[in-house]
Structures are given as structure tokens and as C-alpha cells.
Amino acid sequence: MSKTSKSVSEMYTRRFGDKATVGDTQSGILTLEVEVGHWLEVCRALRDEEQFCFEQLTDLCGVDHLSYGQSEWETENASSAGFSRGVDSLGPGRFDWAQRPESADIEQRFAVVAHLLSFKHNRRLRIRCFAPDDGMPIVPSLVDIWNSANWYERETCDLFGVVFEGHPDLRRIMTDYGFTGHPFR
């Protein structure tokens, strides 16, 4: 970790303490994992406080960790043609019903991930929050903090079934209104 990255990481740790945990840096973007109970408080601070100034939410999505870490692609001995890369037809999200994974085996199944941008400090930040209940995943809405979260939250609710508490208009956006279920579960 570079000296600059370390000082930025320490800044988040000092400010948020046990409300958020500084995670890995992937693709040059630091990840801040926030407890669901502190989600709005931390996000508001990230937007409003001078040392952060994350004026823009550039993306928000849901993640289902049911098959996290599994891979259907053979990369060690694959040919360059690309057609032999698929190991079998039962990969993440595609499994034999008898051997299906159970959500009880996953400690935290559904997460909401948002990407923030600070123009003032020329920084990006990834924030992640896990929904506490896998049966009915609920996370507070960020629409009042960043209005751009509106459509992203609707999409995440539609595709993953994550409910955003306090969202002004949480209706389907990707699937038909008569569609039953959530296709990315």
C-alpha cells in the first residue's frame, strides 16, 4: 500500500471508527464497508464533510454472495480459441436443484455497493453495506443524499429483491410489472 493510500485509509478509520471498516483496494479504489445501522450517517458525512466531499454517486448495485468465489471458467489449461474455457454447464447461479446452495450457509448474502466520486479531492471510493436479513433484505435508501441513487436502487430492488427503506418510488424498472421474483437471485 502506498503512503498516500495508507494516509487516506487512516483518515477513514479515524473518522468513522467502528461504524465502518476499511477494506481492500481493488483497481485503485478503496472499499469502505459500512454497518447497515450507520449507512445513512456515514454516507451523509462522506458527502458533506470537507475532508471527503463525495459529491457524486456514480453507481449503485446489488450483489448476491450465494455463489461468491465460484468460477465456471477453466483458465489454467484453456486453449486460446475460447470455446474450451467453459468447464461445465453448472456454474454460479446455474446448479442442479438437488445440490443447490442454501442461503443459510452464507453469513451475509446480499450487499449493496455504491461508487462515489469526489471532484474536489480527485478520489473515488467504493462503499458496501450488507443487508442484515437474507429473507427480506432491507437497506436505507440513499436518494435523499444522492438523487442519482433513485434509478439504481429501483434496478437493484427489481433484480435482487433488496428493499430500500425510504425510497420515494420503489417500483420495477427492468422487468414487467407482472413478473414474479427477482432474476438475479
mmCIF file of all heavy atoms in Angstrom, residues 53-89:
data_model
loop_
_atom_site.group_PDB
_atom_site.id
_atom_site.type_symbol
_atom_site.label_atom_id
_atom_site.label_comp_id
_atom_site.label_asym_id
_atom_site.label_seq_id
_atom_site.Cartn_x
_atom_site.Cartn_y
_atom_site.Cartn_z
ATOM 1 N N CYS A 53 -15.951 15.145 0.729
ATOM 2 C CA CYS A 53 -16.601 15.842 -0.401
ATOM 3 C C CYS A 53 -16.940 14.917 -1.574
ATOM 4 O O CYS A 53 -16.635 15.222 -2.725
ATOM 5 C CB CYS A 53 -15.743 16.994 -0.898
ATOM 6 S SG CYS A 53 -15.714 18.376 0.232
ATOM 7 N N PHE A 54 -17.574 13.785 -1.299
ATOM 8 C CA PHE A 54 -18.006 12.902 -2.384
ATOM 9 C C PHE A 54 -19.345 13.423 -2.906
ATOM 10 O O PHE A 54 -20.406 13.050 -2.435
ATOM 11 C CB PHE A 54 -18.092 11.451 -1.910
ATOM 12 C CG PHE A 54 -16.745 10.829 -1.737
ATOM 13 C CD1 PHE A 54 -16.177 10.713 -0.475
ATOM 14 C CD2 PHE A 54 -16.030 10.382 -2.835
ATOM 15 C CE1 PHE A 54 -14.931 10.148 -0.316
ATOM 16 C CE2 PHE A 54 -14.782 9.819 -2.683
ATOM 17 C CZ PHE A 54 -14.216 9.698 -1.418
ATOM 18 N N GLU A 55 -19.253 14.309 -3.899
ATOM 19 C CA GLU A 55 -20.419 14.996 -4.420
ATOM 20 C C GLU A 55 -21.287 14.108 -5.297
ATOM 21 O O GLU A 55 -22.467 14.366 -5.464
ATOM 22 C CB GLU A 55 -19.995 16.216 -5.273
ATOM 23 C CG GLU A 55 -19.161 17.229 -4.539
ATOM 24 C CD GLU A 55 -17.666 17.075 -4.806
ATOM 25 O OE1 GLU A 55 -17.238 16.028 -5.338
ATOM 26 O OE2 GLU A 55 -16.925 17.997 -4.459
ATOM 27 N N GLN A 56 -20.706 13.077 -5.887
ATOM 28 C CA GLN A 56 -21.446 12.302 -6.881
ATOM 29 C C GLN A 56 -21.428 10.806 -6.578
ATOM 30 O O GLN A 56 -20.383 10.226 -6.311
ATOM 31 C CB GLN A 56 -20.854 12.540 -8.266
ATOM 32 C CG GLN A 56 -21.643 11.871 -9.356
ATOM 33 C CD GLN A 56 -21.129 12.236 -10.738
ATOM 34 O OE1 GLN A 56 -20.101 12.875 -10.882
ATOM 35 N NE2 GLN A 56 -21.845 11.818 -11.750
ATOM 36 N N LEU A 57 -22.616 10.209 -6.642
ATOM 37 C CA LEU A 57 -22.741 8.755 -6.614
ATOM 38 C C LEU A 57 -22.799 8.332 -8.077
ATOM 39 O O LEU A 57 -23.714 8.719 -8.798
ATOM 40 C CB LEU A 57 -24.021 8.353 -5.879
ATOM 41 C CG LEU A 57 -24.270 6.856 -5.772
ATOM 42 C CD1 LEU A 57 -24.784 6.511 -4.385
ATOM 43 C CD2 LEU A 57 -25.254 6.378 -6.811
ATOM 44 N N THR A 58 -21.799 7.592 -8.523
ATOM 45 C CA THR A 58 -21.715 7.227 -9.944
ATOM 46 C C THR A 58 -22.358 5.886 -10.256
ATOM 47 O O THR A 58 -22.687 5.618 -11.413
ATOM 48 C CB THR A 58 -20.257 7.205 -10.426
ATOM 49 O OG1 THR A 58 -19.530 6.253 -9.643
ATOM 50 C CG2 THR A 58 -19.623 8.572 -10.299
ATOM 51 N N ASP A 59 -22.527 5.042 -9.242
ATOM 52 C CA ASP A 59 -23.111 3.726 -9.488
ATOM 53 C C ASP A 59 -23.566 3.139 -8.166
ATOM 54 O O ASP A 59 -22.996 3.425 -7.106
ATOM 55 C CB ASP A 59 -22.076 2.803 -10.135
ATOM 56 C CG ASP A 59 -22.664 1.460 -10.560
ATOM 57 O OD1 ASP A 59 -23.863 1.422 -10.895
ATOM 58 O OD2 ASP A 59 -21.932 0.466 -10.560
ATOM 59 N N LEU A 60 -24.598 2.316 -8.216
ATOM 60 C CA LEU A 60 -25.061 1.560 -7.066
ATOM 61 C C LEU A 60 -25.621 0.260 -7.608
ATOM 62 O O LEU A 60 -26.345 0.264 -8.605
ATOM 63 C CB LEU A 60 -26.146 2.333 -6.308
ATOM 64 C CG LEU A 60 -26.684 1.676 -5.039
ATOM 65 C CD1 LEU A 60 -26.919 2.717 -3.963
ATOM 66 C CD2 LEU A 60 -27.933 0.881 -5.305
ATOM 67 N N CYS A 61 -25.274 -0.842 -6.975
ATOM 68 C CA CYS A 61 -25.770 -2.138 -7.455
ATOM 69 C C CYS A 61 -25.918 -3.101 -6.293
ATOM 70 O O CYS A 61 -25.427 -2.863 -5.193
ATOM 71 C CB CYS A 61 -24.825 -2.712 -8.509
ATOM 72 S SG CYS A 61 -23.193 -3.110 -7.872
ATOM 73 N N GLY A 62 -26.589 -4.186 -6.555
ATOM 74 C CA GLY A 62 -26.731 -5.253 -5.583
ATOM 75 C C GLY A 62 -25.765 -6.377 -5.904
ATOM 76 O O GLY A 62 -25.364 -6.560 -7.052
ATOM 77 N N VAL A 63 -25.397 -7.131 -4.877
ATOM 78 C CA VAL A 63 -24.526 -8.292 -5.042
ATOM 79 C C VAL A 63 -25.127 -9.435 -4.232
ATOM 80 O O VAL A 63 -25.462 -9.258 -3.061
ATOM 81 C CB VAL A 63 -23.089 -8.012 -4.547
ATOM 82 C CG1 VAL A 63 -22.211 -9.236 -4.723
ATOM 83 C CG2 VAL A 63 -22.492 -6.816 -5.252
ATOM 84 N N ASP A 64 -25.273 -10.582 -4.876
ATOM 85 C CA ASP A 64 -25.729 -11.794 -4.205
ATOM 86 C C ASP A 64 -24.510 -12.676 -4.004
ATOM 87 O O ASP A 64 -23.920 -13.161 -4.969
ATOM 88 C CB ASP A 64 -26.791 -12.494 -5.054
ATOM 89 C CG ASP A 64 -27.375 -13.724 -4.377
ATOM 90 O OD1 ASP A 64 -26.862 -14.137 -3.306
ATOM 91 O OD2 ASP A 64 -28.345 -14.277 -4.919
ATOM 92 N N HIS A 65 -24.114 -12.887 -2.765
ATOM 93 C CA HIS A 65 -22.904 -13.648 -2.452
ATOM 94 C C HIS A 65 -23.159 -15.141 -2.306
ATOM 95 O O HIS A 65 -22.314 -15.859 -1.785
ATOM 96 C CB HIS A 65 -22.265 -13.112 -1.163
ATOM 97 C CG HIS A 65 -21.611 -11.787 -1.344
ATOM 98 N ND1 HIS A 65 -20.289 -11.655 -1.666
ATOM 99 C CD2 HIS A 65 -22.097 -10.535 -1.266
ATOM 100 C CE1 HIS A 65 -19.984 -10.384 -1.769
ATOM 101 N NE2 HIS A 65 -21.066 -9.674 -1.538
ATOM 102 N N LEU A 66 -24.307 -15.623 -2.797
ATOM 103 C CA LEU A 66 -24.644 -17.042 -2.663
ATOM 104 C C LEU A 66 -23.587 -17.939 -3.300
ATOM 105 O O LEU A 66 -23.210 -18.958 -2.753
ATOM 106 C CB LEU A 66 -26.016 -17.326 -3.271
ATOM 107 C CG LEU A 66 -26.539 -18.745 -3.100
ATOM 108 C CD1 LEU A 66 -26.687 -19.074 -1.617
ATOM 109 C CD2 LEU A 66 -27.865 -18.916 -3.800
ATOM 110 N N SER A 67 -23.082 -17.556 -4.466
ATOM 111 C CA SER A 67 -22.061 -18.387 -5.131
ATOM 112 C C SER A 67 -20.745 -17.617 -5.274
ATOM 113 O O SER A 67 -19.988 -17.860 -6.198
ATOM 114 C CB SER A 67 -22.574 -18.854 -6.484
ATOM 115 O OG SER A 67 -22.916 -17.743 -7.284
ATOM 116 N N TYR A 68 -20.478 -16.703 -4.355
ATOM 117 C CA TYR A 68 -19.273 -15.882 -4.404
ATOM 118 C C TYR A 68 -18.022 -16.756 -4.348
ATOM 119 O O TYR A 68 -17.918 -17.667 -3.552
ATOM 120 C CB TYR A 68 -19.259 -14.904 -3.227
ATOM 121 C CG TYR A 68 -18.083 -13.975 -3.225
ATOM 122 C CD1 TYR A 68 -18.041 -12.880 -4.077
ATOM 123 C CD2 TYR A 68 -17.002 -14.190 -2.382
ATOM 124 C CE1 TYR A 68 -16.971 -12.025 -4.091
ATOM 125 C CE2 TYR A 68 -15.928 -13.340 -2.382
ATOM 126 C CZ TYR A 68 -15.915 -12.253 -3.240
ATOM 127 O OH TYR A 68 -14.846 -11.410 -3.250
ATOM 128 N N GLY A 69 -17.086 -16.465 -5.222
ATOM 129 C CA GLY A 69 -15.820 -17.188 -5.246
ATOM 130 C C GLY A 69 -15.826 -18.428 -6.116
ATOM 131 O O GLY A 69 -14.797 -19.048 -6.319
ATOM 132 N N GLN A 70 -16.977 -18.819 -6.638
ATOM 133 C CA GLN A 70 -17.032 -19.965 -7.538
ATOM 134 C C GLN A 70 -16.752 -19.481 -8.954
ATOM 135 O O GLN A 70 -17.054 -18.357 -9.305
ATOM 136 C CB GLN A 70 -18.409 -20.618 -7.492
ATOM 137 C CG GLN A 70 -18.753 -21.200 -6.155
ATOM 138 C CD GLN A 70 -20.161 -21.753 -6.141
ATOM 139 O OE1 GLN A 70 -20.830 -21.808 -7.162
ATOM 140 N NE2 GLN A 70 -20.613 -22.161 -4.971
ATOM 141 N N SER A 71 -16.172 -20.337 -9.745
ATOM 142 C CA SER A 71 -15.874 -19.954 -11.120
ATOM 143 C C SER A 71 -16.209 -21.108 -12.050
ATOM 144 O O SER A 71 -15.932 -22.259 -11.752
ATOM 145 C CB SER A 71 -14.394 -19.597 -11.273
ATOM 146 O OG SER A 71 -14.113 -19.274 -12.607
ATOM 147 N N GLU A 72 -16.810 -20.783 -13.174
ATOM 148 C CA GLU A 72 -17.134 -21.817 -14.151
ATOM 149 C C GLU A 72 -16.121 -21.856 -15.276
ATOM 150 O O GLU A 72 -16.252 -22.631 -16.200
ATOM 151 C CB GLU A 72 -18.536 -21.582 -14.712
ATOM 152 C CG GLU A 72 -18.653 -20.321 -15.517
ATOM 153 C CD GLU A 72 -20.052 -20.078 -16.026
ATOM 154 O OE1 GLU A 72 -21.002 -20.670 -15.499
ATOM 155 O OE2 GLU A 72 -20.193 -19.291 -16.961
ATOM 156 N N TRP A 73 -15.117 -21.006 -15.211
ATOM 157 C CA TRP A 73 -14.170 -20.900 -16.308
ATOM 158 C C TRP A 73 -12.846 -21.569 -15.974
ATOM 159 O O TRP A 73 -12.261 -21.322 -14.936
ATOM 160 C CB TRP A 73 -13.915 -19.435 -16.667
ATOM 161 C CG TRP A 73 -15.137 -18.781 -17.197
ATOM 162 C CD1 TRP A 73 -15.988 -17.964 -16.517
ATOM 163 C CD2 TRP A 73 -15.677 -18.935 -18.500
ATOM 164 N NE1 TRP A 73 -17.021 -17.584 -17.324
ATOM 165 C CE2 TRP A 73 -16.851 -18.159 -18.551
ATOM 166 C CE3 TRP A 73 -15.284 -19.636 -19.634
ATOM 167 C CZ2 TRP A 73 -17.629 -18.065 -19.690
ATOM 168 C CZ3 TRP A 73 -16.068 -19.533 -20.763
ATOM 169 C CH2 TRP A 73 -17.219 -18.762 -20.778
ATOM 170 N N GLU A 74 -12.400 -22.402 -16.865
ATOM 171 C CA GLU A 74 -11.096 -23.035 -16.769
ATOM 172 C C GLU A 74 -10.093 -22.060 -17.374
ATOM 173 O O GLU A 74 -10.189 -21.716 -18.545
ATOM 174 C CB GLU A 74 -11.085 -24.358 -17.542
ATOM 175 C CG GLU A 74 -9.728 -25.016 -17.641
ATOM 176 C CD GLU A 74 -9.209 -25.436 -16.282
ATOM 177 O OE1 GLU A 74 -9.925 -26.149 -15.570
ATOM 178 O OE2 GLU A 74 -8.078 -25.024 -15.957
ATOM 179 N N THR A 75 -9.162 -21.589 -16.576
ATOM 180 C CA THR A 75 -8.203 -20.609 -17.095
ATOM 181 C C THR A 75 -6.782 -21.134 -17.141
ATOM 182 O O THR A 75 -5.940 -20.582 -17.823
ATOM 183 C CB THR A 75 -8.221 -19.328 -16.243
ATOM 184 O OG1 THR A 75 -7.945 -19.680 -14.883
ATOM 185 C CG2 THR A 75 -9.567 -18.645 -16.328
ATOM 186 N N GLU A 76 -6.503 -22.199 -16.415
ATOM 187 C CA GLU A 76 -5.134 -22.725 -16.363
ATOM 188 C C GLU A 76 -4.738 -23.446 -17.654
ATOM 189 O O GLU A 76 -3.677 -23.236 -18.194
ATOM 190 C CB GLU A 76 -4.983 -23.697 -15.181
ATOM 191 C CG GLU A 76 -5.215 -23.043 -13.829
ATOM 192 C CD GLU A 76 -4.137 -22.027 -13.498
ATOM 193 O OE1 GLU A 76 -2.959 -22.267 -13.830
ATOM 194 O OE2 GLU A 76 -4.484 -20.976 -12.920
ATOM 195 N N ASN A 77 -5.611 -24.322 -18.148
ATOM 196 C CA ASN A 77 -5.274 -25.153 -19.308
ATOM 197 C C ASN A 77 -6.190 -24.886 -20.501
ATOM 198 O O ASN A 77 -6.379 -25.746 -21.341
ATOM 199 C CB ASN A 77 -5.377 -26.641 -18.924
ATOM 200 C CG ASN A 77 -4.449 -26.979 -17.782
ATOM 201 O OD1 ASN A 77 -3.295 -26.558 -17.780
ATOM 202 N ND2 ASN A 77 -4.956 -27.707 -16.800
ATOM 203 N N ALA A 78 -6.751 -23.712 -20.572
ATOM 204 C CA ALA A 78 -7.688 -23.400 -21.651
ATOM 205 C C ALA A 78 -6.943 -23.107 -22.947
ATOM 206 O O ALA A 78 -5.830 -22.603 -22.943
ATOM 207 C CB ALA A 78 -8.540 -22.195 -21.271
ATOM 208 N N SER A 79 -7.595 -23.428 -24.056
ATOM 209 C CA SER A 79 -6.997 -23.112 -25.351
ATOM 210 C C SER A 79 -7.236 -21.633 -25.667
ATOM 211 O O SER A 79 -8.073 -20.984 -25.054
ATOM 212 C CB SER A 79 -7.633 -23.972 -26.446
ATOM 213 O OG SER A 79 -8.947 -23.538 -26.697
ATOM 214 N N SER A 80 -6.534 -21.123 -26.617
ATOM 215 C CA SER A 80 -6.703 -19.716 -26.989
ATOM 216 C C SER A 80 -7.952 -19.498 -27.846
ATOM 217 O O SER A 80 -8.321 -18.367 -28.104
ATOM 218 C CB SER A 80 -5.470 -19.221 -27.741
ATOM 219 O OG SER A 80 -5.312 -19.964 -28.932
ATOM 220 N N ALA A 81 -8.595 -20.570 -28.276
ATOM 221 C CA ALA A 81 -9.787 -20.440 -29.115
ATOM 222 C C ALA A 81 -10.980 -19.929 -28.323
ATOM 223 O O ALA A 81 -11.880 -19.334 -28.872
ATOM 224 C CB ALA A 81 -10.134 -21.792 -29.748
ATOM 225 N N GLY A 82 -10.980 -20.162 -27.012
ATOM 226 C CA GLY A 82 -12.061 -19.666 -26.172
ATOM 227 C C GLY A 82 -13.201 -20.631 -25.978
ATOM 228 O O GLY A 82 -13.912 -20.544 -24.997
ATOM 229 N N PHE A 83 -13.393 -21.588 -26.895
ATOM 230 C CA PHE A 83 -14.539 -22.477 -26.769
ATOM 231 C C PHE A 83 -14.357 -23.545 -25.701
ATOM 232 O O PHE A 83 -15.322 -24.091 -25.209
ATOM 233 C CB PHE A 83 -14.842 -23.143 -28.122
ATOM 234 C CG PHE A 83 -15.333 -22.155 -29.133
ATOM 235 C CD1 PHE A 83 -14.527 -21.765 -30.188
ATOM 236 C CD2 PHE A 83 -16.587 -21.593 -29.019
ATOM 237 C CE1 PHE A 83 -14.966 -20.852 -31.114
ATOM 238 C CE2 PHE A 83 -17.042 -20.666 -29.936
ATOM 239 C CZ PHE A 83 -16.231 -20.289 -30.998
ATOM 240 N N SER A 84 -13.146 -23.846 -25.304
ATOM 241 C CA SER A 84 -12.927 -24.880 -24.299
ATOM 242 C C SER A 84 -12.866 -24.317 -22.886
ATOM 243 O O SER A 84 -12.591 -25.035 -21.946
ATOM 244 C CB SER A 84 -11.620 -25.613 -24.602
ATOM 245 O OG SER A 84 -10.527 -24.723 -24.465
ATOM 246 N N ARG A 85 -13.126 -23.028 -22.745
ATOM 247 C CA ARG A 85 -12.994 -22.408 -21.434
ATOM 248 C C ARG A 85 -14.077 -22.843 -20.456
ATOM 249 O O ARG A 85 -13.849 -22.935 -19.263
ATOM 250 C CB ARG A 85 -12.990 -20.898 -21.553
ATOM 251 C CG ARG A 85 -11.725 -20.381 -22.178
ATOM 252 C CD ARG A 85 -11.773 -18.895 -22.252
ATOM 253 N NE ARG A 85 -12.075 -18.335 -20.953
ATOM 254 C CZ ARG A 85 -11.262 -17.536 -20.285
ATOM 255 N NH1 ARG A 85 -10.128 -17.192 -20.793
ATOM 256 N NH2 ARG A 85 -11.618 -17.065 -19.121
ATOM 257 N N GLY A 86 -15.291 -23.053 -20.925
ATOM 258 C CA GLY A 86 -16.376 -23.435 -20.040
ATOM 259 C C GLY A 86 -16.158 -24.844 -19.517
ATOM 260 O O GLY A 86 -16.036 -25.793 -20.268
ATOM 261 N N VAL A 87 -16.100 -24.999 -18.189
ATOM 262 C CA VAL A 87 -15.837 -26.301 -17.592
ATOM 263 C C VAL A 87 -17.087 -27.175 -17.675
ATOM 264 O O VAL A 87 -17.036 -28.291 -18.137
ATOM 265 C CB VAL A 87 -15.388 -26.136 -16.128
ATOM 266 C CG1 VAL A 87 -15.230 -27.486 -15.466
ATOM 267 C CG2 VAL A 87 -14.092 -25.364 -16.067
ATOM 268 N N ASP A 88 -18.192 -26.687 -17.213
ATOM 269 C CA ASP A 88 -19.456 -27.417 -17.327
ATOM 270 C C ASP A 88 -20.602 -26.423 -17.284
ATOM 271 O O ASP A 88 -20.405 -25.239 -17.062
ATOM 272 C CB ASP A 88 -19.595 -28.495 -16.240
ATOM 273 C CG ASP A 88 -19.541 -27.931 -14.838
ATOM 274 O OD1 ASP A 88 -20.118 -26.856 -14.589
ATOM 275 O OD2 ASP A 88 -18.943 -28.573 -13.967
ATOM 276 N N SER A 89 -21.785 -26.923 -17.465
ATOM 277 C CA SER A 89 -22.937 -26.031 -17.548
ATOM 278 C C SER A 89 -23.476 -25.632 -16.186
ATOM 279 O O SER A 89 -24.420 -24.880 -16.104
ATOM 280 C CB SER A 89 -24.043 -26.701 -18.355
ATOM 281 O OG SER A 89 -24.446 -27.890 -17.697
#
